[in-house]
Amino acid sequence: IAGITQAPTSQILAAGRRMTLRCTQDMRHNAMYWYRQDLGLGLRLIHYSNTAGTTGKGEVPDGYSVSRANTDDFPLTLASAVPSQTSVYFCASSEGTNNSPLHFGNGTRLTVT
Amino acid sequence: AQSVTQLGSHVSVSEGALVLLRCNYSSSVPPYLFWYVQYPNQGLQLLLKYTSAATLVKGINGFEAEFKKSETSFHLTKPSAHMSDAAEYFCAVSGPGGFKTIFGAGTRLFVKA
């Protein structure tokens, strides 16, 4: 079944450690996104990529980095995790055209202690 | 800048009753509007999207939304609630190219038997 695969599904991480959240899509979508979901705040965009080789900053990019070496993969890295990065992280993709909807993975629940 | 406001973080209805979830948007350009639904421990799924072809948009599971430019609203309705409709609902707006989709804080719908 076509879609987005995120890994891991959950992780407990000590503060200061480095962590990469993985995201792979098989729909050949141009655009990919990382959001974090926090209670009462909805989803906030961390980083996005319009096409392979390009990335951009969203609303809350500090402490995170991304890369887009190819169309399918869009990993999110926390260089040195802090407790405020405890959240549920969602990867999404879209065709990148006007009014094209987002397709979401099932999320990664990250707890930073 | 674009923004979305969802009125009411929680809405409770009885099974069979009308569902009304409110969304107001702010956009300096013609908006692309969406409603997504999130079931527990899952990513978001598209319910419906506004395409400018019609102001009344029909989505999946019997939901529909009406775009009212004069009120900058895109409220979601369903004539008769079902227990399976219990979930969190997000209104979202995106700009040209579909990039940087902005989400509201979400409304959790409870359906009472």
Side-chain angles (χ1 to χ4, degrees), chain A residues 31 33 35 37 40-43 45 48 50 57 59 90 96-102 104-106 109, chain B residues 32 34 36 38 41-44 46 49-51 88 90 95-105:
Chain A
Y33 313 83
Y35 286 87
Q37 183 178 23
L41 297 177
L43 281 82
L45 182 65
Y48 67 96
N50 296 345
K57 295 181 179 180
E59 302 171 70
F90 286 98
T97 58
N98 290 345
N99 83 2
S100 56
L102 300 179
F104 284 85
N106 284 330
R109 183 174 297 275
Chain B
Y32 299 99
F34 308 82
Y36 290 85
Q38 184 181 32
N41 299 315
Q42 294 185 24
L44 281 68
L46 180 69
K49 64 179 182 180
Y50 170 64
T51 63
E88 188 150 22
F90 292 91
F99 304 124
K100 294 188 177 181
T101 299
I102 304 299
F103 287 85

mmCIF file of all heavy atoms in Angstrom, chain A residues 31 33 35 37 40-43 45 48 50 57 59 90 96-102 104-106 109, chain B residues 32 34 36 38 41-44 46 49-51 88 90 95-105:
data_model
loop_
_atom_site.group_PDB
_atom_site.id
_atom_site.type_symbol
_atom_site.label_atom_id
_atom_site.label_comp_id
_atom_site.label_asym_id
_atom_site.label_seq_id
_atom_site.Cartn_x
_atom_site.Cartn_y
_atom_site.Cartn_z
ATOM 1 N N ALA A 31 6.914 17.291 -2.741
ATOM 2 C CA ALA A 31 7.091 18.025 -1.491
ATOM 3 C C ALA A 31 6.974 17.111 -0.273
ATOM 4 O O ALA A 31 6.170 16.176 -0.257
ATOM 5 C CB ALA A 31 6.048 19.135 -1.398
ATOM 6 N N TYR A 33 7.344 17.235 4.299
ATOM 7 C CA TYR A 33 7.227 18.144 5.440
ATOM 8 C C TYR A 33 7.450 17.383 6.748
ATOM 9 O O TYR A 33 7.170 16.183 6.817
ATOM 10 C CB TYR A 33 5.815 18.739 5.502
ATOM 11 C CG TYR A 33 5.278 19.268 4.196
ATOM 12 C CD1 TYR A 33 4.693 18.413 3.264
ATOM 13 C CD2 TYR A 33 5.352 20.620 3.890
ATOM 14 C CE1 TYR A 33 4.201 18.887 2.060
ATOM 15 C CE2 TYR A 33 4.859 21.106 2.688
ATOM 16 C CZ TYR A 33 4.285 20.233 1.784
ATOM 17 O OH TYR A 33 3.807 20.708 0.588
ATOM 18 N N TYR A 35 6.197 17.965 10.733
ATOM 19 C CA TYR A 35 5.404 18.717 11.701
ATOM 20 C C TYR A 35 5.611 18.101 13.083
ATOM 21 O O TYR A 35 5.876 16.908 13.210
ATOM 22 C CB TYR A 35 3.911 18.621 11.384
ATOM 23 C CG TYR A 35 3.455 19.425 10.194
ATOM 24 C CD1 TYR A 35 3.498 18.892 8.908
ATOM 25 C CD2 TYR A 35 2.958 20.710 10.353
ATOM 26 C CE1 TYR A 35 3.061 19.628 7.809
ATOM 27 C CE2 TYR A 35 2.506 21.459 9.262
ATOM 28 C CZ TYR A 35 2.567 20.904 8.004
ATOM 29 O OH TYR A 35 2.135 21.632 6.917
ATOM 30 N N GLN A 37 3.388 17.797 16.752
ATOM 31 C CA GLN A 37 2.041 17.966 17.277
ATOM 32 C C GLN A 37 2.109 17.996 18.789
ATOM 33 O O GLN A 37 2.585 17.062 19.427
ATOM 34 C CB GLN A 37 1.108 16.836 16.835
ATOM 35 C CG GLN A 37 -0.325 17.034 17.321
ATOM 36 C CD GLN A 37 -1.267 15.955 16.843
ATOM 37 O OE1 GLN A 37 -0.872 14.838 16.508
ATOM 38 N NE2 GLN A 37 -2.554 16.276 16.761
ATOM 39 N N GLY A 40 -3.036 21.179 22.299
ATOM 40 C CA GLY A 40 -3.510 22.559 22.313
ATOM 41 C C GLY A 40 -2.877 23.468 21.286
ATOM 42 O O GLY A 40 -3.306 24.611 21.129
ATOM 43 N N LEU A 41 -1.864 22.964 20.580
ATOM 44 C CA LEU A 41 -1.155 23.798 19.599
ATOM 45 C C LEU A 41 -1.346 23.311 18.177
ATOM 46 O O LEU A 41 -0.864 23.943 17.232
ATOM 47 C CB LEU A 41 0.341 23.843 19.935
ATOM 48 C CG LEU A 41 0.705 24.467 21.271
ATOM 49 C CD1 LEU A 41 2.208 24.374 21.498
ATOM 50 C CD2 LEU A 41 0.252 25.924 21.338
ATOM 51 N N GLY A 42 -2.013 22.186 18.005
ATOM 52 C CA GLY A 42 -2.181 21.658 16.657
ATOM 53 C C GLY A 42 -0.860 21.168 16.090
ATOM 54 O O GLY A 42 0.025 20.732 16.826
ATOM 55 N N LEU A 43 -0.717 21.268 14.793
ATOM 56 C CA LEU A 43 0.523 20.851 14.133
ATOM 57 C C LEU A 43 1.296 22.099 13.710
ATOM 58 O O LEU A 43 0.732 23.024 13.130
ATOM 59 C CB LEU A 43 0.223 20.007 12.896
ATOM 60 C CG LEU A 43 -0.145 18.560 13.164
ATOM 61 C CD1 LEU A 43 -1.605 18.431 13.543
ATOM 62 C CD2 LEU A 43 0.160 17.704 11.926
ATOM 63 N N LEU A 45 4.736 23.428 11.629
ATOM 64 C CA LEU A 45 5.691 23.023 10.598
ATOM 65 C C LEU A 45 7.123 23.283 11.066
ATOM 66 O O LEU A 45 7.464 24.400 11.469
ATOM 67 C CB LEU A 45 5.404 23.790 9.311
ATOM 68 C CG LEU A 45 6.278 23.455 8.108
ATOM 69 C CD1 LEU A 45 6.050 22.004 7.659
ATOM 70 C CD2 LEU A 45 5.972 24.409 6.959
ATOM 71 N N TYR A 48 10.477 21.940 5.627
ATOM 72 C CA TYR A 48 9.817 21.384 4.457
ATOM 73 C C TYR A 48 10.807 21.313 3.307
ATOM 74 O O TYR A 48 11.902 21.906 3.354
ATOM 75 C CB TYR A 48 8.593 22.225 4.056
ATOM 76 C CG TYR A 48 8.929 23.609 3.566
ATOM 77 C CD1 TYR A 48 9.054 23.882 2.211
ATOM 78 C CD2 TYR A 48 9.124 24.645 4.467
ATOM 79 C CE1 TYR A 48 9.378 25.152 1.764
ATOM 80 C CE2 TYR A 48 9.446 25.921 4.033
ATOM 81 C CZ TYR A 48 9.565 26.170 2.686
ATOM 82 O OH TYR A 48 9.886 27.427 2.246
ATOM 83 N N ASN A 50 10.505 21.415 -1.026
ATOM 84 C CA ASN A 50 9.662 21.524 -2.217
ATOM 85 C C ASN A 50 10.008 20.455 -3.248
ATOM 86 O O ASN A 50 9.153 20.022 -4.026
ATOM 87 C CB ASN A 50 9.806 22.893 -2.861
ATOM 88 C CG ASN A 50 9.312 23.998 -1.964
ATOM 89 O OD1 ASN A 50 8.621 23.751 -0.984
ATOM 90 N ND2 ASN A 50 9.667 25.228 -2.267
ATOM 91 N N LYS A 57 12.789 26.394 6.014
ATOM 92 C CA LYS A 57 12.404 26.446 7.415
ATOM 93 C C LYS A 57 10.917 26.737 7.564
ATOM 94 O O LYS A 57 10.361 27.551 6.836
ATOM 95 C CB LYS A 57 13.216 27.518 8.145
ATOM 96 C CG LYS A 57 14.696 27.228 8.214
ATOM 97 C CD LYS A 57 15.438 28.314 8.983
ATOM 98 C CE LYS A 57 16.920 27.991 9.063
ATOM 99 N NZ LYS A 57 17.671 29.033 9.821
ATOM 100 N N GLU A 59 7.745 27.023 10.836
ATOM 101 C CA GLU A 59 7.460 27.888 11.987
ATOM 102 C C GLU A 59 8.425 27.684 13.142
ATOM 103 O O GLU A 59 8.759 28.630 13.859
ATOM 104 C CB GLU A 59 6.050 27.598 12.510
ATOM 105 C CG GLU A 59 4.914 27.781 11.538
ATOM 106 C CD GLU A 59 3.620 27.251 12.141
ATOM 107 O OE1 GLU A 59 3.112 27.885 13.080
ATOM 108 O OE2 GLU A 59 3.126 26.207 11.675
ATOM 109 N N PHE A 90 5.265 14.190 12.915
ATOM 110 C CA PHE A 90 4.622 13.646 11.728
ATOM 111 C C PHE A 90 5.350 14.097 10.476
ATOM 112 O O PHE A 90 5.642 15.285 10.300
ATOM 113 C CB PHE A 90 3.159 14.098 11.636
ATOM 114 C CG PHE A 90 2.258 13.418 12.611
ATOM 115 C CD1 PHE A 90 1.915 14.029 13.804
ATOM 116 C CD2 PHE A 90 1.771 12.150 12.348
ATOM 117 C CE1 PHE A 90 1.092 13.393 14.715
ATOM 118 C CE2 PHE A 90 0.940 11.508 13.255
ATOM 119 C CZ PHE A 90 0.600 12.122 14.437
ATOM 120 N N GLY A 96 2.650 18.996 -4.204
ATOM 121 C CA GLY A 96 3.286 20.310 -4.259
ATOM 122 C C GLY A 96 2.629 21.265 -5.229
ATOM 123 O O GLY A 96 3.199 22.289 -5.581
ATOM 124 N N THR A 97 1.410 20.933 -5.649
ATOM 125 C CA THR A 97 0.666 21.842 -6.520
ATOM 126 C C THR A 97 -0.406 22.551 -5.703
ATOM 127 O O THR A 97 -0.671 22.189 -4.559
ATOM 128 C CB THR A 97 0.001 21.085 -7.671
ATOM 129 O OG1 THR A 97 -0.874 20.094 -7.116
ATOM 130 C CG2 THR A 97 1.048 20.384 -8.528
ATOM 131 N N ASN A 98 -1.033 23.577 -6.290
ATOM 132 C CA ASN A 98 -2.098 24.270 -5.584
ATOM 133 C C ASN A 98 -3.171 23.298 -5.119
ATOM 134 O O ASN A 98 -3.578 22.416 -5.870
ATOM 135 C CB ASN A 98 -2.742 25.306 -6.503
ATOM 136 C CG ASN A 98 -1.819 26.469 -6.773
ATOM 137 O OD1 ASN A 98 -0.829 26.653 -6.099
ATOM 138 N ND2 ASN A 98 -2.144 27.236 -7.790
ATOM 139 N N ASN A 99 -3.600 23.458 -3.909
ATOM 140 C CA ASN A 99 -4.628 22.685 -3.206
ATOM 141 C C ASN A 99 -4.374 21.184 -3.176
ATOM 142 O O ASN A 99 -5.295 20.398 -2.992
ATOM 143 C CB ASN A 99 -6.043 23.015 -3.706
ATOM 144 C CG ASN A 99 -6.487 22.291 -4.968
ATOM 145 O OD1 ASN A 99 -5.769 21.477 -5.525
ATOM 146 N ND2 ASN A 99 -7.697 22.573 -5.395
ATOM 147 N N SER A 100 -3.139 20.758 -3.358
ATOM 148 C CA SER A 100 -2.843 19.332 -3.174
ATOM 149 C C SER A 100 -2.775 19.039 -1.681
ATOM 150 O O SER A 100 -2.086 19.731 -0.940
ATOM 151 C CB SER A 100 -1.534 18.949 -3.857
ATOM 152 O OG SER A 100 -0.458 19.734 -3.400
ATOM 153 N N PRO A 101 -3.497 18.019 -1.219
ATOM 154 C CA PRO A 101 -3.534 17.726 0.219
ATOM 155 C C PRO A 101 -2.256 17.047 0.683
ATOM 156 O O PRO A 101 -1.449 16.551 -0.111
ATOM 157 C CB PRO A 101 -4.726 16.783 0.335
ATOM 158 C CG PRO A 101 -4.777 16.091 -0.986
ATOM 159 C CD PRO A 101 -4.341 17.109 -1.999
ATOM 160 N N LEU A 102 -2.093 17.023 2.001
ATOM 161 C CA LEU A 102 -0.971 16.344 2.618
ATOM 162 C C LEU A 102 -1.338 14.892 2.912
ATOM 163 O O LEU A 102 -2.470 14.587 3.282
ATOM 164 C CB LEU A 102 -0.579 17.040 3.920
ATOM 165 C CG LEU A 102 -0.159 18.496 3.817
ATOM 166 C CD1 LEU A 102 0.185 19.046 5.190
ATOM 167 C CD2 LEU A 102 1.021 18.666 2.874
ATOM 168 N N PHE A 104 -0.062 11.856 5.392
ATOM 169 C CA PHE A 104 0.704 11.754 6.629
ATOM 170 C C PHE A 104 1.133 10.329 6.937
ATOM 171 O O PHE A 104 0.421 9.359 6.625
ATOM 172 C CB PHE A 104 -0.131 12.256 7.806
ATOM 173 C CG PHE A 104 -0.248 13.749 7.876
ATOM 174 C CD1 PHE A 104 -1.213 14.410 7.153
ATOM 175 C CD2 PHE A 104 0.621 14.483 8.668
ATOM 176 C CE1 PHE A 104 -1.322 15.793 7.200
ATOM 177 C CE2 PHE A 104 0.527 15.867 8.731
ATOM 178 C CZ PHE A 104 -0.444 16.522 7.996
ATOM 179 N N GLY A 105 2.292 10.218 7.602
ATOM 180 C CA GLY A 105 2.669 8.982 8.242
ATOM 181 C C GLY A 105 1.957 8.845 9.579
ATOM 182 O O GLY A 105 1.189 9.733 9.974
ATOM 183 N N ASN A 106 2.229 7.759 10.284
ATOM 184 C CA ASN A 106 1.565 7.513 11.561
ATOM 185 C C ASN A 106 2.260 8.141 12.761
ATOM 186 O O ASN A 106 1.808 7.992 13.888
ATOM 187 C CB ASN A 106 1.393 6.018 11.787
ATOM 188 C CG ASN A 106 0.261 5.439 10.951
ATOM 189 O OD1 ASN A 106 -0.705 6.121 10.645
ATOM 190 N ND2 ASN A 106 0.401 4.191 10.566
ATOM 191 N N ARG A 109 6.498 9.102 18.289
ATOM 192 C CA ARG A 109 6.328 9.710 19.615
ATOM 193 C C ARG A 109 7.694 9.749 20.294
ATOM 194 O O ARG A 109 8.270 8.705 20.572
ATOM 195 C CB ARG A 109 5.346 8.905 20.440
ATOM 196 C CG ARG A 109 5.043 9.511 21.811
ATOM 197 C CD ARG A 109 3.944 8.723 22.509
ATOM 198 N NE ARG A 109 2.687 8.778 21.784
ATOM 199 C CZ ARG A 109 1.796 9.740 21.900
ATOM 200 N NH1 ARG A 109 2.012 10.753 22.738
ATOM 201 N NH2 ARG A 109 0.673 9.707 21.208
ATOM 202 N N TYR B 32 -6.438 28.086 0.004
ATOM 203 C CA TYR B 32 -6.754 26.685 -0.234
ATOM 204 C C TYR B 32 -7.034 26.087 1.138
ATOM 205 O O TYR B 32 -6.170 26.091 2.007
ATOM 206 C CB TYR B 32 -5.581 25.984 -0.926
ATOM 207 C CG TYR B 32 -5.265 26.600 -2.263
ATOM 208 C CD1 TYR B 32 -4.221 27.505 -2.399
ATOM 209 C CD2 TYR B 32 -6.038 26.308 -3.382
ATOM 210 C CE1 TYR B 32 -3.946 28.096 -3.620
ATOM 211 C CE2 TYR B 32 -5.768 26.893 -4.603
ATOM 212 C CZ TYR B 32 -4.731 27.790 -4.719
ATOM 213 O OH TYR B 32 -4.463 28.372 -5.933
ATOM 214 N N PHE B 34 -8.690 23.126 3.840
ATOM 215 C CA PHE B 34 -8.812 21.683 4.034
ATOM 216 C C PHE B 34 -9.385 21.397 5.427
ATOM 217 O O PHE B 34 -9.201 22.173 6.355
ATOM 218 C CB PHE B 34 -7.438 21.000 3.954
ATOM 219 C CG PHE B 34 -6.641 21.325 2.729
ATOM 220 C CD1 PHE B 34 -5.894 22.485 2.655
ATOM 221 C CD2 PHE B 34 -6.619 20.451 1.651
ATOM 222 C CE1 PHE B 34 -5.140 22.787 1.527
ATOM 223 C CE2 PHE B 34 -5.875 20.743 0.526
ATOM 224 C CZ PHE B 34 -5.136 21.903 0.456
ATOM 225 N N TYR B 36 -9.009 17.965 7.974
ATOM 226 C CA TYR B 36 -8.412 16.656 8.194
ATOM 227 C C TYR B 36 -9.001 16.064 9.469
ATOM 228 O O TYR B 36 -9.413 16.776 10.379
ATOM 229 C CB TYR B 36 -6.892 16.781 8.377
ATOM 230 C CG TYR B 36 -6.126 17.160 7.134
ATOM 231 C CD1 TYR B 36 -5.977 18.493 6.764
ATOM 232 C CD2 TYR B 36 -5.532 16.194 6.333
ATOM 233 C CE1 TYR B 36 -5.260 18.849 5.626
ATOM 234 C CE2 TYR B 36 -4.805 16.537 5.203
ATOM 235 C CZ TYR B 36 -4.686 17.860 4.855
ATOM 236 O OH TYR B 36 -3.969 18.203 3.728
ATOM 237 N N GLN B 38 -8.142 13.084 12.567
ATOM 238 C CA GLN B 38 -7.108 12.250 13.182
ATOM 239 C C GLN B 38 -7.740 11.318 14.201
ATOM 240 O O GLN B 38 -8.329 11.770 15.185
ATOM 241 C CB GLN B 38 -6.038 13.112 13.848
ATOM 242 C CG GLN B 38 -4.885 12.306 14.418
ATOM 243 C CD GLN B 38 -3.842 13.164 15.102
ATOM 244 O OE1 GLN B 38 -4.159 14.205 15.688
ATOM 245 N NE2 GLN B 38 -2.594 12.758 15.027
ATOM 246 N N ASN B 41 -3.671 7.617 17.725
ATOM 247 C CA ASN B 41 -2.414 6.955 17.333
ATOM 248 C C ASN B 41 -2.254 6.812 15.824
ATOM 249 O O ASN B 41 -1.606 5.869 15.349
ATOM 250 C CB ASN B 41 -2.305 5.584 17.997
ATOM 251 C CG ASN B 41 -2.303 5.692 19.506
ATOM 252 O OD1 ASN B 41 -1.609 6.531 20.076
ATOM 253 N ND2 ASN B 41 -3.115 4.880 20.156
ATOM 254 N N GLN B 42 -2.854 7.725 15.095
ATOM 255 C CA GLN B 42 -2.709 7.728 13.643
ATOM 256 C C GLN B 42 -2.332 9.118 13.151
ATOM 257 O O GLN B 42 -2.440 10.101 13.871
ATOM 258 C CB GLN B 42 -4.012 7.287 12.967
ATOM 259 C CG GLN B 42 -4.413 5.846 13.235
ATOM 260 C CD GLN B 42 -5.644 5.453 12.446
ATOM 261 O OE1 GLN B 42 -5.956 6.032 11.406
ATOM 262 N NE2 GLN B 42 -6.345 4.451 12.936
ATOM 263 N N GLY B 43 -1.893 9.164 11.902
ATOM 264 C CA GLY B 43 -1.666 10.448 11.264
ATOM 265 C C GLY B 43 -2.981 11.052 10.798
ATOM 266 O O GLY B 43 -4.044 10.457 10.942
ATOM 267 N N LEU B 44 -2.901 12.262 10.253
ATOM 268 C CA LEU B 44 -4.094 12.930 9.776
ATOM 269 C C LEU B 44 -4.514 12.375 8.414
ATOM 270 O O LEU B 44 -3.674 11.998 7.599
ATOM 271 C CB LEU B 44 -3.841 14.442 9.647
ATOM 272 C CG LEU B 44 -3.897 15.261 10.938
ATOM 273 C CD1 LEU B 44 -2.746 14.939 11.864
ATOM 274 C CD2 LEU B 44 -3.918 16.753 10.597
ATOM 275 N N LEU B 46 -7.199 13.244 5.054
ATOM 276 C CA LEU B 46 -7.993 14.288 4.417
ATOM 277 C C LEU B 46 -9.482 13.945 4.460
ATOM 278 O O LEU B 46 -9.898 12.858 4.062
ATOM 279 C CB LEU B 46 -7.557 14.462 2.967
ATOM 280 C CG LEU B 46 -8.300 15.524 2.175
ATOM 281 C CD1 LEU B 46 -7.931 16.921 2.694
ATOM 282 C CD2 LEU B 46 -7.992 15.403 0.679
ATOM 283 N N LYS B 49 -11.549 19.133 0.771
ATOM 284 C CA LYS B 49 -10.775 20.325 0.458
ATOM 285 C C LYS B 49 -11.607 21.275 -0.393
ATOM 286 O O LYS B 49 -12.472 20.845 -1.170
ATOM 287 C CB LYS B 49 -9.480 19.973 -0.276
ATOM 288 C CG LYS B 49 -9.686 19.336 -1.654
ATOM 289 C CD LYS B 49 -8.342 19.050 -2.312
ATOM 290 C CE LYS B 49 -8.538 18.458 -3.714
ATOM 291 N NZ LYS B 49 -7.223 18.167 -4.368
ATOM 292 N N TYR B 50 -11.358 22.550 -0.247
ATOM 293 C CA TYR B 50 -12.030 23.587 -1.019
ATOM 294 C C TYR B 50 -11.211 23.844 -2.275
ATOM 295 O O TYR B 50 -10.011 24.112 -2.205
ATOM 296 C CB TYR B 50 -12.139 24.867 -0.196
ATOM 297 C CG TYR B 50 -12.599 26.057 -0.985
ATOM 298 C CD1 TYR B 50 -13.867 26.085 -1.545
ATOM 299 C CD2 TYR B 50 -11.765 27.151 -1.187
ATOM 300 C CE1 TYR B 50 -14.288 27.174 -2.277
ATOM 301 C CE2 TYR B 50 -12.181 28.246 -1.913
ATOM 302 C CZ TYR B 50 -13.450 28.248 -2.464
ATOM 303 O OH TYR B 50 -13.866 29.325 -3.196
ATOM 304 N N THR B 51 -11.904 23.757 -3.428
ATOM 305 C CA THR B 51 -11.186 23.897 -4.691
ATOM 306 C C THR B 51 -11.593 25.124 -5.483
ATOM 307 O O THR B 51 -11.108 25.333 -6.571
ATOM 308 C CB THR B 51 -11.440 22.659 -5.573
ATOM 309 O OG1 THR B 51 -12.840 22.603 -5.884
ATOM 310 C CG2 THR B 51 -11.028 21.390 -4.863
ATOM 311 N N GLU B 88 -10.269 13.767 16.400
ATOM 312 C CA GLU B 88 -9.866 15.173 16.409
ATOM 313 C C GLU B 88 -9.864 15.678 14.977
ATOM 314 O O GLU B 88 -9.416 14.978 14.063
ATOM 315 C CB GLU B 88 -8.486 15.352 17.039
ATOM 316 C CG GLU B 88 -8.126 16.826 17.246
ATOM 317 C CD GLU B 88 -7.210 17.055 18.432
ATOM 318 O OE1 GLU B 88 -6.518 16.104 18.854
ATOM 319 O OE2 GLU B 88 -7.165 18.199 18.930
ATOM 320 N N PHE B 90 -9.023 18.854 12.253
ATOM 321 C CA PHE B 90 -8.151 20.004 12.027
ATOM 322 C C PHE B 90 -8.545 20.726 10.746
ATOM 323 O O PHE B 90 -8.682 20.104 9.690
ATOM 324 C CB PHE B 90 -6.693 19.560 11.899
ATOM 325 C CG PHE B 90 -6.104 19.018 13.169
ATOM 326 C CD1 PHE B 90 -6.166 17.660 13.450
ATOM 327 C CD2 PHE B 90 -5.485 19.865 14.074
ATOM 328 C CE1 PHE B 90 -5.624 17.151 14.613
ATOM 329 C CE2 PHE B 90 -4.936 19.367 15.252
ATOM 330 C CZ PHE B 90 -5.002 18.009 15.515
ATOM 331 N N GLY B 95 -1.064 28.156 0.941
ATOM 332 C CA GLY B 95 -0.956 29.186 -0.067
ATOM 333 C C GLY B 95 -0.653 28.601 -1.436
ATOM 334 O O GLY B 95 -0.699 27.382 -1.622
ATOM 335 N N PRO B 96 -0.330 29.420 -2.391
ATOM 336 C CA PRO B 96 -0.013 28.949 -3.745
ATOM 337 C C PRO B 96 1.094 27.905 -3.727
ATOM 338 O O PRO B 96 2.068 28.035 -2.994
ATOM 339 C CB PRO B 96 0.433 30.220 -4.468
ATOM 340 C CG PRO B 96 -0.244 31.317 -3.740
ATOM 341 C CD PRO B 96 -0.300 30.883 -2.304
ATOM 342 N N GLY B 97 0.916 26.877 -4.501
ATOM 343 C CA GLY B 97 1.899 25.796 -4.535
ATOM 344 C C GLY B 97 1.666 24.765 -3.454
ATOM 345 O O GLY B 97 2.312 23.719 -3.453
ATOM 346 N N GLY B 98 0.752 25.061 -2.555
ATOM 347 C CA GLY B 98 0.431 24.085 -1.512
ATOM 348 C C GLY B 98 1.464 23.964 -0.433
ATOM 349 O O GLY B 98 1.367 23.107 0.441
ATOM 350 N N PHE B 99 2.452 24.841 -0.432
ATOM 351 C CA PHE B 99 3.500 24.704 0.566
ATOM 352 C C PHE B 99 3.105 25.374 1.868
ATOM 353 O O PHE B 99 2.258 26.238 1.917
ATOM 354 C CB PHE B 99 4.798 25.306 0.034
ATOM 355 C CG PHE B 99 5.226 24.705 -1.258
ATOM 356 C CD1 PHE B 99 5.456 25.503 -2.372
ATOM 357 C CD2 PHE B 99 5.376 23.340 -1.389
ATOM 358 C CE1 PHE B 99 5.841 24.946 -3.577
ATOM 359 C CE2 PHE B 99 5.764 22.775 -2.593
ATOM 360 C CZ PHE B 99 5.988 23.580 -3.691
ATOM 361 N N LYS B 100 3.772 24.993 2.925
ATOM 362 C CA LYS B 100 3.590 25.613 4.233
ATOM 363 C C LYS B 100 2.132 25.617 4.656
ATOM 364 O O LYS B 100 1.570 26.660 4.975
ATOM 365 C CB LYS B 100 4.144 27.036 4.229
ATOM 366 C CG LYS B 100 5.653 27.101 4.045
ATOM 367 C CD LYS B 100 6.163 28.516 4.253
ATOM 368 C CE LYS B 100 7.663 28.586 4.134
ATOM 369 N NZ LYS B 100 8.191 29.942 4.358
ATOM 370 N N THR B 101 1.523 24.461 4.660
ATOM 371 C CA THR B 101 0.159 24.350 5.149
ATOM 372 C C THR B 101 0.140 24.663 6.639
ATOM 373 O O THR B 101 0.930 24.124 7.408
ATOM 374 C CB THR B 101 -0.386 22.931 4.905
ATOM 375 O OG1 THR B 101 -0.394 22.680 3.491
ATOM 376 C CG2 THR B 101 -1.790 22.798 5.444
ATOM 377 N N ILE B 102 -0.784 25.547 7.026
ATOM 378 C CA ILE B 102 -0.925 25.969 8.419
ATOM 379 C C ILE B 102 -2.171 25.320 8.998
ATOM 380 O O ILE B 102 -3.245 25.379 8.388
ATOM 381 C CB ILE B 102 -1.024 27.498 8.521
ATOM 382 C CG1 ILE B 102 0.192 28.171 7.861
ATOM 383 C CG2 ILE B 102 -1.161 27.926 9.979
ATOM 384 C CD1 ILE B 102 1.514 27.808 8.488
ATOM 385 N N PHE B 103 -2.037 24.736 10.179
ATOM 386 C CA PHE B 103 -3.143 24.035 10.818
ATOM 387 C C PHE B 103 -3.699 24.833 11.985
ATOM 388 O O PHE B 103 -2.964 25.547 12.679
ATOM 389 C CB PHE B 103 -2.671 22.677 11.339
ATOM 390 C CG PHE B 103 -2.429 21.669 10.260
ATOM 391 C CD1 PHE B 103 -1.212 21.627 9.596
ATOM 392 C CD2 PHE B 103 -3.417 20.772 9.898
ATOM 393 C CE1 PHE B 103 -0.984 20.699 8.590
ATOM 394 C CE2 PHE B 103 -3.194 19.842 8.895
ATOM 395 C CZ PHE B 103 -1.981 19.809 8.238
ATOM 396 N N GLY B 104 -5.002 24.648 12.217
ATOM 397 C CA GLY B 104 -5.595 25.133 13.440
ATOM 398 C C GLY B 104 -5.204 24.236 14.602
ATOM 399 O O GLY B 104 -4.555 23.201 14.417
ATOM 400 N N ALA B 105 -5.608 24.639 15.811
ATOM 401 C CA ALA B 105 -5.223 23.901 17.018
ATOM 402 C C ALA B 105 -5.993 22.598 17.179
ATOM 403 O O ALA B 105 -5.627 21.770 18.005
ATOM 404 C CB ALA B 105 -5.408 24.772 18.251
#
